[in-house]
Amino acid sequence: MPATPFRFFDVRVLRAQRLSPAMVRVTFVGDDLSAFVSGGRDQRFKLFLPHPGQDAPVLPADLGDGWFAAWREMDPAVRAVMRTYTVRDQRRDPDEVDVDFALHTGDHAPAGATDGPASSWARTARPGDRAALLGPVEEDNGGVDFRPPPGTDWTLLTGDETALPAIAGILARLAPDAPAKVWIEIPSAEDAQPLPTKAAADITWLVREGARTSPVLDAVRAADLPPGTPYAWIAGESAAVRTLRRHLVDDRQFDRKAIKFTGYWRQGVTEDDLIAEIA
Ligand SMILES: Cc1cc2nc3c(=O)[nH]c(=O)nc-3n(C[C@H](O)[C@H](O)[C@H](O)COP(=O)(O)OP(=O)(O)OC[C@H]3O[C@@H](n4cnc5c(N)ncnc54)[C@H](O)[C@@H]3O)c2cc1C
């Protein structure tokens, strides 16, 4: 795994579009975004947002190597909200970065769902709103996790709407005719998107329509999987991801090392709580 050459970028919203009931695409611009270099696929980065009432995210004065310790020392009510997101797309001339935000509440969400600071911010984002990105400056960087080993015959991808930007990026980069089985869980049928790819991808959309449980596990359990050596990339709600990984290892005899699994969020727990757990 390469190192993570990341740096901070000041950005502002160029536009915010509601793509579908549960998804908002925010396009960021910034004076030095020419130095932001996405590795594509599931490229992740850290997003820093202002609290309501602040006009810009409040970051430590020194953004060198010690920034994280300095950020943790700051008052949580004042310091920028930090969240993890995926580069949905990057364009040059002019330099623009798209980020797709899943909204947690709405007509198709389960009862009791709540938005958090980031999804709330995206819901009301307007041109000129300020944010900061901690993002890559080299294409080969440690923020890309989709790395099938040599000898992979086919790819299995699963995720919910938070993983849809990453799955879109992975599909865009898969080799022509590479076999892929893909299951994507979305709140409503209107949240499905075109996913351009040259791969031989068999894509199944699974609509939750207010259900709290994840339909991905049942779909994969019932599936006929292709022969040959698989590589699996699975993301979404943490408990659902863990259960699916167990199924692939225990019931389908996938090699553990050929599974990249990432909890993108955890039911009832904010990303601040998750950071506090590991810090
Ligand atoms: C590597 C990585 C890449 C990611 N990329 C994206 C991306 O491109 N787009 C994207 O939308 N998300 C992405 N996520 C997920 C995103 O970081 C989380 O959903 C995050 O919790 C959202 O922050 P928030 O402030 O809105 O909610 P938080 O304050 O963190 O949480 C508030 C409440 O909402 C719940 N919650 C969190 N996410 C969801 C959800 N999706 N649906 C329902 N309830 C939820 C939490 O359990 C909590 O109860 C990614 C996560 C990781 C680790």
Side-chain angles (χ1 to χ4, degrees):
M1 177 71 73
T4 309
F6 273 33
R7 56 157 270 206
F8 281 87
F9 296 88
D10 277 328
V11 291
R12 58 189 186 281
V13 174
L14 176 68
R15 61 179 167 268
Q17 298 165 260
R18 183 66 81 93
L19 293 184
S20 68
M23 198 67 95
V24 174
R25 173 162 302 162
V26 176
T27 300
F28 291 105
V29 289
D31 293 339
D32 52 359
L33 264 192
S34 57
F36 187 104
V37 186
S38 173
R41 294 160 283 172
D42 57 343
Q43 176 74 65
R44 63 185 142 79
F45 67 94
K46 294 289 181 199
L47 171 69
F48 296 85
L49 297 170
H51 293 271
Q54 295 176 332
D55 61 4
V58 178
L59 294 169
D62 182 354
L63 293 176
D65 287 347
W67 72 266
F68 182 63
W71 175 84
R72 281 187 61 208
E73 292 296 307
M74 295 167 73
D75 179 351
V78 173
R79 72 180 184 208
V81 173
M82 178 171 72
R83 293 291 183 265
T84 311
Y85 278 83
T86 305
V87 177
R88 176 65 171 83
D89 199 9
Q90 176 175 29
R91 288 174 297 281
R92 297 292 185 199
D93 302 320
D95 293 300
E96 296 179 355
V97 170
D98 289 339
V99 182
D100 286 0
F101 291 79
L103 305 178
H104 313 168
T105 59
D107 290 347
H108 307 278
T114 49
D115 275 313
S119 44
S120 303
W121 177 89
R123 195 185 281 282
T124 57
R126 296 282 175 273
D129 286 356
R130 293 178 61 187
L133 316 179
L134 175 60
V137 294
E138 285 174 20
E139 189 168 344
D140 193 12
N141 68 77
V144 174
D145 291 323
F146 179 83
R147 294 177 185 273
T152 298
D153 293 317
W154 66 278
T155 303
L156 181 148
L157 303 173
T158 71
D160 63 9
E161 62 273 30
T162 64
L164 179 48
I167 291 175
I170 291 168
L171 285 172
R173 290 273 289 259
L174 279 182
D177 302 320
K181 295 278 283 180
V182 186
W183 286 270
I184 307 168
E185 193 182 305
I186 42 176
S188 77
E190 293 159 78
D191 292 307
Q193 302 177 3
L195 295 174
T197 182
K198 294 193 172 65
D202 172 15
I203 301 173
T204 304
W205 297 93
L206 301 163
V207 177
R208 279 197 313 268
E209 262 323 330
R212 223 174 232 295
T213 49
S214 164
V216 164
L217 181 65
D218 285 345
V220 175
R221 269 190 206 284
D224 280 333
L225 301 182
T229 305
Y231 173 74
W233 182 100
I234 53 185
E237 199 283 322
S238 291
V241 164
R242 278 200 314 274
T243 311
L244 182 54
R245 173 176 179 267
R246 210 171 309 127
H247 166 64
L248 294 178
V249 172
D250 293 350
D251 307 331
R252 300 284 198 162
Q253 282 72 52
F254 275 43
D255 180 349
R256 285 167 199 277
K257 293 194 290 298
I259 303 175
K260 178 63 203 174
F261 65 105
T262 314
Y264 270 22
W265 61 283
R266 199 194 300 169
Q267 192 73 58
V269 177
T270 70
E271 195 167 333
D272 301 297
D273 301 329
L274 294 173
I275 293 167
E277 264 180 28
I278 54 171

mmCIF file of all heavy atoms in Angstrom, residues 22-50:
data_model
loop_
_atom_site.group_PDB
_atom_site.id
_atom_site.type_symbol
_atom_site.label_atom_id
_atom_site.label_comp_id
_atom_site.label_asym_id
_atom_site.label_seq_id
_atom_site.Cartn_x
_atom_site.Cartn_y
_atom_site.Cartn_z
ATOM 1 N N ALA A 22 -32.534 10.770 -2.521
ATOM 2 C CA ALA A 22 -31.614 10.581 -1.396
ATOM 3 C C ALA A 22 -30.185 11.006 -1.688
ATOM 4 O O ALA A 22 -29.287 10.726 -0.892
ATOM 5 C CB ALA A 22 -31.621 9.115 -0.959
ATOM 6 N N MET A 23 -29.941 11.689 -2.816
ATOM 7 C CA MET A 23 -28.545 11.988 -3.148
ATOM 8 C C MET A 23 -28.375 13.422 -3.646
ATOM 9 O O MET A 23 -29.095 13.870 -4.527
ATOM 10 C CB MET A 23 -28.085 11.010 -4.244
ATOM 11 C CG MET A 23 -26.607 10.893 -4.398
ATOM 12 S SD MET A 23 -25.807 10.130 -2.970
ATOM 13 C CE MET A 23 -25.732 8.427 -3.514
ATOM 14 N N VAL A 24 -27.412 14.120 -3.050
ATOM 15 C CA VAL A 24 -27.067 15.486 -3.472
ATOM 16 C C VAL A 24 -25.638 15.479 -3.993
ATOM 17 O O VAL A 24 -24.739 14.965 -3.313
ATOM 18 C CB VAL A 24 -27.149 16.476 -2.283
ATOM 19 C CG1 VAL A 24 -26.640 17.855 -2.687
ATOM 20 C CG2 VAL A 24 -28.578 16.575 -1.773
ATOM 21 N N ARG A 25 -25.436 16.026 -5.186
ATOM 22 C CA ARG A 25 -24.054 16.152 -5.703
ATOM 23 C C ARG A 25 -23.577 17.581 -5.484
ATOM 24 O O ARG A 25 -24.201 18.531 -5.962
ATOM 25 C CB ARG A 25 -24.002 15.822 -7.196
ATOM 26 C CG ARG A 25 -22.620 16.110 -7.811
ATOM 27 C CD ARG A 25 -22.433 15.399 -9.123
ATOM 28 N NE ARG A 25 -22.588 13.954 -8.947
ATOM 29 C CZ ARG A 25 -22.825 13.100 -9.943
ATOM 30 N NH1 ARG A 25 -22.898 13.535 -11.174
ATOM 31 N NH2 ARG A 25 -22.965 11.809 -9.702
ATOM 32 N N VAL A 26 -22.464 17.714 -4.750
ATOM 33 C CA VAL A 26 -21.855 19.025 -4.518
ATOM 34 C C VAL A 26 -20.575 19.096 -5.340
ATOM 35 O O VAL A 26 -19.725 18.204 -5.260
ATOM 36 C CB VAL A 26 -21.551 19.242 -3.017
ATOM 37 C CG1 VAL A 26 -20.829 20.566 -2.807
ATOM 38 C CG2 VAL A 26 -22.841 19.211 -2.196
ATOM 39 N N THR A 27 -20.466 20.152 -6.138
ATOM 40 C CA THR A 27 -19.248 20.380 -6.924
ATOM 41 C C THR A 27 -18.437 21.470 -6.242
ATOM 42 O O THR A 27 -18.937 22.578 -6.010
ATOM 43 C CB THR A 27 -19.610 20.797 -8.361
ATOM 44 O OG1 THR A 27 -20.381 19.733 -8.941
ATOM 45 C CG2 THR A 27 -18.369 21.048 -9.196
ATOM 46 N N PHE A 28 -17.178 21.113 -5.897
ATOM 47 C CA PHE A 28 -16.289 22.044 -5.207
ATOM 48 C C PHE A 28 -15.281 22.641 -6.190
ATOM 49 O O PHE A 28 -14.795 21.942 -7.096
ATOM 50 C CB PHE A 28 -15.490 21.325 -4.113
ATOM 51 C CG PHE A 28 -16.323 20.878 -2.933
ATOM 52 C CD1 PHE A 28 -16.660 19.548 -2.764
ATOM 53 C CD2 PHE A 28 -16.760 21.797 -1.984
ATOM 54 C CE1 PHE A 28 -17.413 19.128 -1.672
ATOM 55 C CE2 PHE A 28 -17.520 21.388 -0.885
ATOM 56 C CZ PHE A 28 -17.848 20.052 -0.733
ATOM 57 N N VAL A 29 -14.951 23.918 -5.971
ATOM 58 C CA VAL A 29 -13.843 24.556 -6.671
ATOM 59 C C VAL A 29 -12.940 25.193 -5.610
ATOM 60 O O VAL A 29 -13.362 25.395 -4.470
ATOM 61 C CB VAL A 29 -14.337 25.649 -7.662
ATOM 62 C CG1 VAL A 29 -15.038 25.023 -8.852
ATOM 63 C CG2 VAL A 29 -15.259 26.651 -6.969
ATOM 64 N N GLY A 30 -11.709 25.527 -6.019
ATOM 65 C CA GLY A 30 -10.788 26.155 -5.065
ATOM 66 C C GLY A 30 -9.552 26.597 -5.810
ATOM 67 O O GLY A 30 -9.202 26.020 -6.848
ATOM 68 N N ASP A 31 -8.867 27.624 -5.260
ATOM 69 C CA ASP A 31 -7.769 28.242 -6.002
ATOM 70 C C ASP A 31 -6.649 27.275 -6.337
ATOM 71 O O ASP A 31 -6.010 27.390 -7.362
ATOM 72 C CB ASP A 31 -7.197 29.424 -5.204
ATOM 73 C CG ASP A 31 -8.239 30.535 -5.129
ATOM 74 O OD1 ASP A 31 -9.151 30.526 -5.990
ATOM 75 O OD2 ASP A 31 -8.148 31.365 -4.209
ATOM 76 N N ASP A 32 -6.380 26.321 -5.443
ATOM 77 C CA ASP A 32 -5.246 25.427 -5.724
ATOM 78 C C ASP A 32 -5.692 23.977 -5.940
ATOM 79 O O ASP A 32 -4.911 23.051 -5.732
ATOM 80 C CB ASP A 32 -4.186 25.523 -4.617
ATOM 81 C CG ASP A 32 -4.787 25.318 -3.246
ATOM 82 O OD1 ASP A 32 -6.019 25.121 -3.174
ATOM 83 O OD2 ASP A 32 -4.038 25.352 -2.256
ATOM 84 N N LEU A 33 -6.923 23.791 -6.400
ATOM 85 C CA LEU A 33 -7.389 22.405 -6.623
ATOM 86 C C LEU A 33 -6.629 21.712 -7.750
ATOM 87 O O LEU A 33 -6.773 20.506 -7.938
ATOM 88 C CB LEU A 33 -8.891 22.381 -6.941
ATOM 89 C CG LEU A 33 -9.846 22.106 -5.782
ATOM 90 C CD1 LEU A 33 -11.243 21.815 -6.307
ATOM 91 C CD2 LEU A 33 -9.377 20.925 -4.923
ATOM 92 N N SER A 34 -5.817 22.464 -8.505
ATOM 93 C CA SER A 34 -4.996 21.815 -9.542
ATOM 94 C C SER A 34 -4.028 20.819 -8.892
ATOM 95 O O SER A 34 -3.576 19.873 -9.537
ATOM 96 C CB SER A 34 -4.215 22.843 -10.350
ATOM 97 O OG SER A 34 -3.432 23.608 -9.478
ATOM 98 N N ALA A 35 -3.723 21.008 -7.597
ATOM 99 C CA ALA A 35 -2.802 20.099 -6.901
ATOM 100 C C ALA A 35 -3.511 18.879 -6.326
ATOM 101 O O ALA A 35 -2.866 17.949 -5.831
ATOM 102 C CB ALA A 35 -2.077 20.847 -5.785
ATOM 103 N N PHE A 36 -4.833 18.860 -6.365
ATOM 104 C CA PHE A 36 -5.612 17.716 -5.854
ATOM 105 C C PHE A 36 -5.612 16.654 -6.951
ATOM 106 O O PHE A 36 -6.026 16.911 -8.080
ATOM 107 C CB PHE A 36 -7.034 18.195 -5.550
ATOM 108 C CG PHE A 36 -7.937 17.196 -4.869
ATOM 109 C CD1 PHE A 36 -8.219 17.308 -3.514
ATOM 110 C CD2 PHE A 36 -8.541 16.165 -5.581
ATOM 111 C CE1 PHE A 36 -9.077 16.410 -2.876
ATOM 112 C CE2 PHE A 36 -9.396 15.266 -4.959
ATOM 113 C CZ PHE A 36 -9.662 15.385 -3.609
ATOM 114 N N VAL A 37 -5.113 15.447 -6.623
ATOM 115 C CA VAL A 37 -4.973 14.416 -7.662
ATOM 116 C C VAL A 37 -5.652 13.141 -7.188
ATOM 117 O O VAL A 37 -5.086 12.363 -6.410
ATOM 118 C CB VAL A 37 -3.482 14.125 -7.973
ATOM 119 C CG1 VAL A 37 -3.381 13.160 -9.148
ATOM 120 C CG2 VAL A 37 -2.725 15.402 -8.272
ATOM 121 N N SER A 38 -6.844 12.912 -7.665
ATOM 122 C CA SER A 38 -7.577 11.709 -7.257
ATOM 123 C C SER A 38 -7.002 10.475 -7.939
ATOM 124 O O SER A 38 -6.668 10.519 -9.123
ATOM 125 C CB SER A 38 -9.058 11.851 -7.629
ATOM 126 O OG SER A 38 -9.724 10.620 -7.383
ATOM 127 N N GLY A 39 -6.940 9.400 -7.182
ATOM 128 C CA GLY A 39 -6.541 8.111 -7.765
ATOM 129 C C GLY A 39 -7.725 7.367 -8.356
ATOM 130 O O GLY A 39 -7.584 6.244 -8.843
ATOM 131 N N GLY A 40 -8.918 7.982 -8.322
ATOM 132 C CA GLY A 40 -10.104 7.314 -8.870
ATOM 133 C C GLY A 40 -10.532 6.141 -8.003
ATOM 134 O O GLY A 40 -10.186 6.046 -6.821
ATOM 135 N N ARG A 41 -11.296 5.253 -8.591
ATOM 136 C CA ARG A 41 -11.867 4.097 -7.865
ATOM 137 C C ARG A 41 -12.576 4.578 -6.589
ATOM 138 O O ARG A 41 -13.406 5.454 -6.664
ATOM 139 C CB ARG A 41 -10.769 3.065 -7.573
ATOM 140 C CG ARG A 41 -10.220 2.435 -8.855
ATOM 141 C CD ARG A 41 -8.881 1.806 -8.656
ATOM 142 N NE ARG A 41 -7.821 2.807 -8.612
ATOM 143 C CZ ARG A 41 -6.566 2.573 -8.306
ATOM 144 N NH1 ARG A 41 -6.180 1.368 -8.002
ATOM 145 N NH2 ARG A 41 -5.677 3.533 -8.316
ATOM 146 N N ASP A 42 -12.203 4.037 -5.411
ATOM 147 C CA ASP A 42 -12.885 4.425 -4.173
ATOM 148 C C ASP A 42 -12.091 5.489 -3.414
ATOM 149 O O ASP A 42 -12.071 5.476 -2.177
ATOM 150 C CB ASP A 42 -13.139 3.189 -3.304
ATOM 151 C CG ASP A 42 -11.855 2.423 -2.975
ATOM 152 O OD1 ASP A 42 -10.827 2.634 -3.664
ATOM 153 O OD2 ASP A 42 -11.867 1.609 -2.033
ATOM 154 N N GLN A 43 -11.483 6.408 -4.131
ATOM 155 C CA GLN A 43 -10.644 7.445 -3.487
ATOM 156 C C GLN A 43 -11.385 8.161 -2.361
ATOM 157 O O GLN A 43 -12.381 8.831 -2.573
ATOM 158 C CB GLN A 43 -10.218 8.488 -4.526
ATOM 159 C CG GLN A 43 -9.426 9.654 -3.937
ATOM 160 C CD GLN A 43 -8.014 9.254 -3.561
ATOM 161 O OE1 GLN A 43 -7.224 8.917 -4.438
ATOM 162 N NE2 GLN A 43 -7.675 9.287 -2.269
ATOM 163 N N ARG A 44 -10.868 7.978 -1.142
ATOM 164 C CA ARG A 44 -11.496 8.667 -0.019
ATOM 165 C C ARG A 44 -10.685 9.889 0.378
ATOM 166 O O ARG A 44 -9.493 10.002 0.044
ATOM 167 C CB ARG A 44 -11.662 7.723 1.172
ATOM 168 C CG ARG A 44 -10.398 7.206 1.744
ATOM 169 C CD ARG A 44 -10.696 6.186 2.841
ATOM 170 N NE ARG A 44 -9.752 5.085 2.811
ATOM 171 C CZ ARG A 44 -8.529 5.116 3.304
ATOM 172 N NH1 ARG A 44 -8.071 6.202 3.882
ATOM 173 N NH2 ARG A 44 -7.735 4.061 3.212
ATOM 174 N N PHE A 45 -11.320 10.786 1.101
ATOM 175 C CA PHE A 45 -10.650 11.981 1.615
ATOM 176 C C PHE A 45 -11.417 12.432 2.853
ATOM 177 O O PHE A 45 -12.506 11.924 3.134
ATOM 178 C CB PHE A 45 -10.620 13.103 0.540
ATOM 179 C CG PHE A 45 -11.979 13.625 0.220
ATOM 180 C CD1 PHE A 45 -12.473 14.750 0.866
ATOM 181 C CD2 PHE A 45 -12.790 12.981 -0.695
ATOM 182 C CE1 PHE A 45 -13.755 15.222 0.607
ATOM 183 C CE2 PHE A 45 -14.082 13.444 -0.961
ATOM 184 C CZ PHE A 45 -14.562 14.562 -0.311
ATOM 185 N N LYS A 46 -10.856 13.373 3.585
ATOM 186 C CA LYS A 46 -11.558 13.938 4.739
ATOM 187 C C LYS A 46 -12.153 15.283 4.336
ATOM 188 O O LYS A 46 -11.480 16.091 3.677
ATOM 189 C CB LYS A 46 -10.606 14.140 5.923
ATOM 190 C CG LYS A 46 -10.057 12.855 6.501
ATOM 191 C CD LYS A 46 -11.121 12.074 7.245
ATOM 192 C CE LYS A 46 -10.549 10.797 7.842
ATOM 193 N NZ LYS A 46 -11.583 9.823 8.177
ATOM 194 N N LEU A 47 -13.382 15.478 4.769
ATOM 195 C CA LEU A 47 -14.110 16.709 4.474
ATOM 196 C C LEU A 47 -14.283 17.478 5.789
ATOM 197 O O LEU A 47 -14.640 16.865 6.809
ATOM 198 C CB LEU A 47 -15.479 16.341 3.903
ATOM 199 C CG LEU A 47 -16.494 17.448 3.726
ATOM 200 C CD1 LEU A 47 -16.055 18.400 2.610
ATOM 201 C CD2 LEU A 47 -17.865 16.852 3.376
ATOM 202 N N PHE A 48 -14.035 18.762 5.770
ATOM 203 C CA PHE A 48 -14.187 19.603 6.974
ATOM 204 C C PHE A 48 -15.240 20.665 6.690
ATOM 205 O O PHE A 48 -15.155 21.376 5.683
ATOM 206 C CB PHE A 48 -12.851 20.254 7.336
ATOM 207 C CG PHE A 48 -11.811 19.239 7.705
ATOM 208 C CD1 PHE A 48 -11.047 18.625 6.729
ATOM 209 C CD2 PHE A 48 -11.633 18.868 9.025
ATOM 210 C CE1 PHE A 48 -10.108 17.660 7.061
ATOM 211 C CE2 PHE A 48 -10.692 17.907 9.374
ATOM 212 C CZ PHE A 48 -9.928 17.295 8.387
ATOM 213 N N LEU A 49 -16.220 20.742 7.584
ATOM 214 C CA LEU A 49 -17.366 21.619 7.357
ATOM 215 C C LEU A 49 -17.544 22.567 8.536
ATOM 216 O O LEU A 49 -17.228 22.215 9.683
ATOM 217 C CB LEU A 49 -18.642 20.776 7.216
ATOM 218 C CG LEU A 49 -18.673 19.823 6.028
ATOM 219 C CD1 LEU A 49 -19.864 18.884 6.130
ATOM 220 C CD2 LEU A 49 -18.715 20.612 4.724
ATOM 221 N N PRO A 50 -18.118 23.761 8.259
ATOM 222 C CA PRO A 50 -18.454 24.672 9.363
ATOM 223 C C PRO A 50 -19.680 24.175 10.106
ATOM 224 O O PRO A 50 -20.491 23.425 9.550
ATOM 225 C CB PRO A 50 -18.767 25.988 8.638
ATOM 226 C CG PRO A 50 -19.151 25.604 7.248
ATOM 227 C CD PRO A 50 -18.462 24.298 6.937
#
